């Protein structure tokens, strides 16, 4: 019997009583509804390999390829849809991305024209402390946005930077510096209408290298700083403390996430998939 147990935070729920290797259509429908209601779902005590992780992820849609790792190739060329996140180094080479760094608040791959609707992150090895992942509810961020800021972002879009990771590292194939106009990325509305819930969400991607096209840089930076201060000072978060066997799925359209740092002496190994959306983010004000 599937049981939905919301967290005590502003988003997230545990789903109990489900083996993700055996999900029938009726159970999947309940999971998808719970995901839309809670934005982030956690399934504890799972036993997944890359095949079963990919199979469950594919219930949500078509998988996107992982952002490429070292030298522009996937971490495992045989499994280009699996993103490996790890601080483990073997023979001087990192086995995965993002290392020990603390990450900034972000949404995954919003520098693409069609960002993923979901990311699914599975814990294979976790440190005793550190490496926790927090999530932020962007419906609530929008609903609590002061009236003047709501009016100022209406009709505006933001350019999301493709060149750096959420730890600030330069991705393979990009230059050290760009003008805002020339920097590779994608432009998305500041406020989107979620295609399943119909609710409005603030859609910010990440702060570093963000740019408001058509606005003088200083004015755009001031607007971005105010929007991000609303997040950084806000209460609408929940933090996941990982256990081995946890599978967490988040709605990348209406939730931010970030990870705190971790002790380089500890080991952390996570495998992730990302599910392509059916359509580009749609502006709240689009008719
Ligand atoms: C991610 C990510 C956070 C973490 O998987 O997209 O940002 O906890 N990872 O490793
Ligand atoms: Mn991420």
């Amino acid at each position: 019997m599937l049981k939905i147990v919301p967290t005590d935070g502003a988003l997230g729920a545990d789903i109990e009583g489900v083996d993700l290797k055996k999900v029938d259509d009726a159970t999947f429908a309940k999971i998808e509804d719970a995901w839309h209601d809670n934005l982030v779902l956690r399934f504890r005590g799972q036993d997944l390999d890359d095949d079963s992780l990919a199979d469950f992820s594919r219930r949500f849609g078509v998988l996107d390829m992982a952002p490429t790792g070292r030298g522009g190739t996937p971490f495992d060329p045989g499994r280009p849809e699996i993103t490996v996140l790890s601080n483990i180094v073997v023979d001087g080479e990192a086995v995965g991305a993002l290392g020990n760094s603390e990450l900034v608040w972000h949404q995954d791959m919003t520098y693409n024209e069609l960002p993923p609707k979901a990311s699914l992150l599975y814990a294979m090895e976790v440190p005793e402390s550190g490496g926790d992942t927090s999530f932020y509810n962007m419906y609530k961020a929008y609903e609590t946005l002061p009236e003047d800021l709501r009016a100022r972002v209406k009709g505006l879009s933001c350019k999301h930077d493709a060149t750096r990771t959420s730890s600030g590292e330069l991705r393979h194939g990009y230059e050290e510096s760009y003008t805002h106009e020339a920097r590779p990325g994608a432009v998305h509305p500041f406020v989107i209408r979620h295609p399943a819930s119909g609710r409005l969400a603030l859609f910010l991607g990440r702060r570093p290298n963000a740019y408001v096209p058509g606005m003088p840089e200083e004015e755009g930076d001031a607007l971005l700083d105010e929007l991000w201060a609303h997040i950084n000072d806000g209460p609408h978060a929940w933090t996941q403390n990982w256990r081995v066997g946890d599978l967490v799925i988040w709605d990348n359209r209406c939730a931010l996430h970030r990870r705190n740092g971790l002790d380089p002496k500890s080991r952390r190994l996570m495998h992730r998939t990302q599910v392509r959306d059916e359509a580009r983010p749609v502006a709240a004000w689009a008719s």
Side-chain angles (χ1 to χ4, degrees):
M1 262 312 281
L2 174 150
K3 195 168 156 206
I4 301 164
V5 184
T7 70
D8 56 7
L11 70 171
D14 274 300
I15 304 293
E16 298 174 359
V18 176
D19 176 352
L20 293 180
K21 287 193 294 217
K22 299 180 209 140
V23 174
D24 60 24
D25 289 347
T27 304
F28 182 72
K30 288 187 191 144
I31 291 173
E32 199 174 32
D33 285 347
W35 181 56
H36 289 145
D37 291 344
N38 295 283
L39 292 63
V40 178
L41 299 180
R42 177 174 65 187
F43 304 80
R44 298 214 114 141
Q46 301 297 316
D47 177 20
L48 303 178
D49 57 15
D50 284 345
D51 284 334
S52 42
L53 172 61
D55 284 347
F56 176 63
S57 303
R58 252 186 242 108
R59 303 292 292 264
F60 292 87
V62 176
L63 299 191
D64 263 332
M65 294 300 111
T68 53
R70 302 165 293 211
T73 50
F75 282 97
D76 178 355
R79 302 300 313 231
E81 74 278 38
I82 303 282
T83 307
V84 181
L85 300 160
S86 187
N87 65 343
I88 299 169
V89 176
V90 176
D91 296 333
E93 287 225 60
V95 308
L98 299 179
N100 298 301
S101 305
E102 184 176 331
L103 311 181
V104 295
W105 281 122
H106 67 282
Q107 286 160 292
D108 287 332
M109 298 162 70
T110 56
Y111 47 81
N112 290 337
E113 297 294 331
L114 188 58
K117 65 173 166 185
S119 297
L120 294 94
L121 189 58
Y122 179 63
M124 300 161 74
E125 291 187 59
V126 299
E128 293 240 321
S129 68
D132 308 316
T133 310
S134 299
F135 296 90
Y136 204 92
N137 184 327
M138 295 301 268
Y139 292 134
K140 292 201 172 153
Y142 181 69
E143 285 156 14
T144 57
L145 198 63
E147 205 50 57
D148 73 306
L149 262 179
R150 267 201 212 197
R152 275 162 67 203
V153 294
K154 189 165 181 199
L156 290 182
S157 293
C158 181
K159 186 163 175 192
H160 298 230
D161 173 26
T163 68
R164 301 227 169 229
T165 70
S166 50
S167 68
E169 233 179 301
L170 190 65
R171 290 180 203 277
H172 179 79
Y174 293 116
E175 308 291 326
E176 269 297 326
S177 68
Y178 291 93
T179 62
H180 280 311
E181 285 79 8
R183 182 179 295 112
V187 174
H188 298 297
F190 269 119
V191 186
I192 63 162
R193 185 177 299 282
H194 192 286
S197 69
R199 295 175 66 189
L200 304 186
L202 203 53
F203 194 73
L204 296 181
R206 60 198 70 180
R207 177 64 184 90
N209 290 332
Y211 168 61
V212 188
M215 196 175 256
E217 192 171 326
E218 253 176 53
E219 199 184 323
D221 277 344
L223 176 60
L224 288 163
D225 286 344
E226 282 184 63
L227 291 167
W228 280 102
H230 177 65
I231 303 298
N232 290 323
D233 300 340
H236 307 297
W238 169 71
T239 298
Q240 148 72 342
N241 303 118
W242 292 93
R243 294 184 197 159
V244 170
D246 283 356
L247 181 283
V248 170
I249 173 170
W250 61 88
D251 192 323
N252 195 50
R253 298 164 293 198
C254 53
L256 295 170
H257 60 285
R258 74 172 172 198
R259 182 187 77 195
N260 62 10
L262 50 145
D263 179 351
K265 292 193 291 294
S266 63
R267 284 169 66 98
R268 188 175 191 267
L269 177 63
M270 321 282 283
H271 278 195
R272 192 190 81 187
T273 54
Q274 44 287 313
V275 184
R276 186 180 306 164
D277 210 343
E278 284 87 34
R280 296 183 53 139
V282 173
W285 42 83
S287 51

